[in-house]
Structures are given as structure tokens and as C-alpha cells.
Amino acid sequence: MELSTKTPRIEVVDALRGFAVMAILLVHNLEHFIFPVYPESSPEWLTILDAGVFNATFSLLAGKSYAIFALLFGFTFYIQSHNQQLKGKDFGYRFLWRMILLAGFATLNAAFFPAGDVLLLFVVVSLVLFIVRKWSDKAILITAILFSLQPIEWFHYIMSLFNPAYTLPDLNVGAMYAEVAEYTKAGNFWDFLIGNVTLGQKASLFWAIGAGRFLQTAGLFLFGLYIGRKELFVTTESHLKFWMKALIIAAISFAPLYSLKEQIMQSDSSLIQQTVGTAFDMWQKFAFTIVLVASFVLLYQKDQFKKTVSNLRFYGKMSLTNYISQSILGAIIYFPFGFYLAPYCGYTLSLIIGIILFLAQVRFCKWWLSKHKQGPLETIWHKWTWIGTKK
């Protein structure tokens, strides 16, 4: 009976989630977990190598790993909601409780991550999933597209056309992050923790408002929900054709969108850069994200590729544990209260450290999952989600 009321786990989703968390780890290492302190001087050859590592890593992964993570968040909501629907239950209100628990995990992660944690943004934006959970597929797709068009950014731009004196709201994000940087450099551990879970989280949410991340995240959640409803991650001939078409369309779209974004960012108007530029930047990143997702799904059908990325499945199954533990480890490695290696690590060395951390986490995942069904934080989240009820 249990088998008939639960959606089978989809391997490629675990591997894709593992890829996203790995990519986040590598990007965060290059950023020193948002602690921009680097060597004051390096040999010329290393400076050139650092520049290449930075450009390659950020071009391939920055903004895309987060998007994949958000896409799969919406997909996971579908899986959990669908499993409960098969039992005649509405997952909606249990999901809201689950998001309250996630806010706790977001606070834990933010304590060690001075820029504020994206999980808190997910908690806030997840309300859209609760609202649309009973909508039709068509309504969800249309809403996802509308969110992704970034209507608020276009509203600001259009207002500026009618009123040349129009300015964007000043959310004081720069000043907040300057204060975050100040107490981080001071190296007092308790000031660091308290500042991160208060000011850091506030700065992160306010930055997300100005960067258009709220609507982008909502759109990605709904696209993930739609993909789940259409079972597009389930391997069938028609679904593989869909991903091939998606790959072609996204690949063709990426170049002109990127080119337009670059041209817009050269505008003398900061308002245009922050509105139209933000919209085009998100569109070109979304196109590249679809290239990555579609390529991964299609390549995963090949035995050699599946074998090569097999460790990502273990990593993806423990994504919450890995995501939070990487912030804790990164803070210990780079920040003044820890080993304070930031001033000695350029981009290349930081990437190597990131790869070593990833391999260590994979090894831990494989050991842990050989003894348990879920990661340690996943187990807590799962048990507390269903506390007081029988699934």
C-alpha cells in the first residue's frame, strides 16, 4: 500500500540538486563566503590564473546554481503535495509549518554567513506555492511567466519615462552591508553571530527586493511546480524530446539576451541599469540555467555520465545538511574568528579549497547514508514536519 501512495524518488533530481549545492559551494568559496578579503599581491602568473578561474566559475555557475536550487524547491513541493493528495490529504498547511521550521534552519545558516541566507527568502516567497497549490497547470505556468518578466522593474522604468526625476526607493542596503563587513573584520565571534542573524538577514532581504529576487524566486518555484505536475523529470521519450527542445531554444536565446544585457549595463543611467538591466540579466541567466538543466537531464541518460556524477546523488540527498555545513566550515576557514585564511587565498586557491570541502562532504554523505535514510538535518526537518500526525 505504501508503494502506491508515494512517488518514487527520481535519481536525476537528486544528482541535479547535488550539482546545484556543489556549485553554490564553489562560488561561495571564491567569494570567501561574502568576505571580500584577498592577497594584496600575487605573482603575475597567479594573477592571470586567478582572473581566469574567477571568470570561468562565475560565468558558468553564479546565479545559475541558485536558480536550479529554487527550481527544485518548487519541484519538491509538488512531490510532497502529490504524495499527500494520493492519500486524500491537503499538504498546504503542513507545508506552512515546514516553512517555519525552514526559517529556523535559515537562521542557523545565516549565523555563519554574513550576507544573509537565501533560505529565508525561500520561506517568505514560498507563500506563493501555498496560494497556487490548487490552481490549474495553465494558470501556474502563466503566473510563473508573469513573475519572470519582472513587472516591478519595468514599472520603475516606465515611471522614469514619465518623470525624469523619478528615483528608485533607497533601501540602505550598502550601509547595512558596510556595517556587516565592519563587525566581521573585527573578529568578535558573538558580535558576528548576532549581527548575522539580525542585520545580515535584513540586508539580504532588502537586497533581494532591489535585485528583483522576490519575483524571480516565485517564478522559479512555479516553474519547478509545473515541471513536477508534468512529470518532466521522469524519463520518457516525449520528455527527453521536451528537454532537447528546451536546450536548443535556451541556447539560441542566451547569446542575444546576454549581449543586450551587456549593452544596457553600459548605459549612463543607473536607474536603467538597475531596472531594465536587472530584467535582462535575470533572463540571460535563466536561459543559461535551462541549458545546464536540460544538458544534465539529457546526459544523465548516458551510463558513463551517470557513473561520473554518481556522487552528486548522495550529495543531493543531503542538500540541507551540506548547504548549512559548508557555511560553517567556510566561516571557520576564512573569517577572523577562525583560521583567517582569506588574506592568503586568491581565487585559484579558494577554488581548490572548495573542491576539497566538496569531496570531504561527499565522503561524509556516502558514509552517513550507508547507515541512515536521510542526512542529519533532513531527518530533523522530516520528523518535525510531521510531528503530531501520522503521514
Side-chain angles (χ1 to χ4, degrees), residues 203-379:
S204 177
L205 289 177
F206 277 43
W207 172 85
I209 293 172
R213 279 287 178 97
F214 273 81
L215 292 189
Q216 183 202 32
T217 303
L220 289 167
F221 282 179
L222 296 189
F223 280 127
L225 174 58
Y226 183 81
I227 287 172
R229 286 192 175 189
K230 295 299 182 181
E231 300 184 335
L232 295 175
F233 282 132
V234 178
T235 302
T236 66
E237 187 176 346
S238 62
H239 294 162
L240 292 179
K241 286 181 179 178
F242 166 83
W243 288 114
M244 181 58 72
K245 290 178 182 178
L247 173 60
I248 293 170
I249 294 170
I252 292 173
S253 302
F254 171 72
L257 287 173
Y258 180 83
S259 178
L260 285 169
K261 185 267 295 187
E262 288 292 300
Q263 292 181 42
I264 292 166
M265 288 303 186
Q266 292 175 10
S267 169
D268 295 331
S269 169
S270 61
L271 187 141
I272 291 177
Q273 292 179 8
Q274 294 174 52
T275 55
V276 181
T278 293
F280 273 90
D281 183 51
M282 289 189 170
W283 295 345
Q284 62 92 10
K285 284 178 179 175
F286 180 71
F288 199 84
T289 298
I290 297 302
V291 169
L292 291 175
V293 172
S295 298
F296 197 97
V297 171
L298 292 169
L299 287 170
Y300 202 79
Q301 311 311 310
K302 307 294 182 181
D303 290 338
Q304 186 57 48
F305 181 81
K306 185 185 295 188
K307 182 179 178 181
T308 302
V309 302
S310 60
N311 284 335
L312 291 177
R313 286 193 294 111
F314 300 101
Y315 200 64
K317 285 181 180 179
M318 288 175 49
S319 57
L320 181 64
T321 297
N322 290 323
Y323 181 72
I324 292 178
S325 63
Q326 65 181 236
S327 294
I328 298 172
L329 292 170
I332 293 171
I333 291 170
Y334 294 111
F335 294 165
F337 71 79
F339 297 132
Y340 196 30
L341 295 184
Y344 310 100
C345 298
Y347 294 126
T348 304
L349 182 54
S350 299
L351 180 64
I352 293 171
I353 291 173
I355 293 171
I356 292 172
L357 284 178
F358 166 69
L359 295 175
Q361 285 188 311
V362 166
R363 187 164 186 174
F364 175 75
C365 290
K366 294 177 77 170
W367 171 78
W368 183 274
L369 290 173
S370 69
K371 302 175 182 296
H372 308 85
K373 289 184 178 180
Q374 295 174 306
L377 295 187
E378 286 77 7
T379 299

Side-chain angles (χ1 to χ4, degrees), residues 30 39 41-57 346-349 351:
L30 262 65
S41 62
S42 300
E44 184 179 355
W45 67 268
L46 185 55
T47 301
I48 295 171
L49 182 59
D50 281 343
V53 166
F54 177 85
N55 291 331
T57 304
Y347 294 126
T348 304
L349 182 54
L351 180 64

Side-chain angles (χ1 to χ4, degrees), residues 159-167 271:
M159 289 297 293
S160 73
L161 296 179
F162 289 101
N163 178 13
Y166 184 82
T167 58
L271 187 141

Side-chain angles (χ1 to χ4, degrees), residues 92-160:
Y93 293 96
R94 186 62 55 171
F95 175 70
L96 294 181
W97 165 241
R98 185 173 171 83
M99 290 302 97
I100 292 174
L101 296 175
L102 185 60
F105 289 117
T107 303
L108 171 62
N109 192 65
F112 295 89
F113 193 72
D117 182 60
V118 72
L119 292 180
L120 186 59
L121 174 65
F122 280 20
V123 169
V124 176
V125 178
S126 68
L127 285 173
V128 73
L129 289 170
F130 174 81
I131 292 169
V132 309
R133 70 191 189 282
K134 296 181 180 180
W135 289 13
S136 68
D137 295 350
K138 185 177 181 181
I140 287 172
L141 179 60
I142 291 172
T143 306
I145 293 171
L146 289 175
F147 282 146
S148 299
L149 290 175
Q150 292 296 322
I152 293 177
E153 307 306 321
W154 288 106
F155 168 80
H156 287 310
Y157 173 66
I158 292 171
M159 289 297 293
S160 73

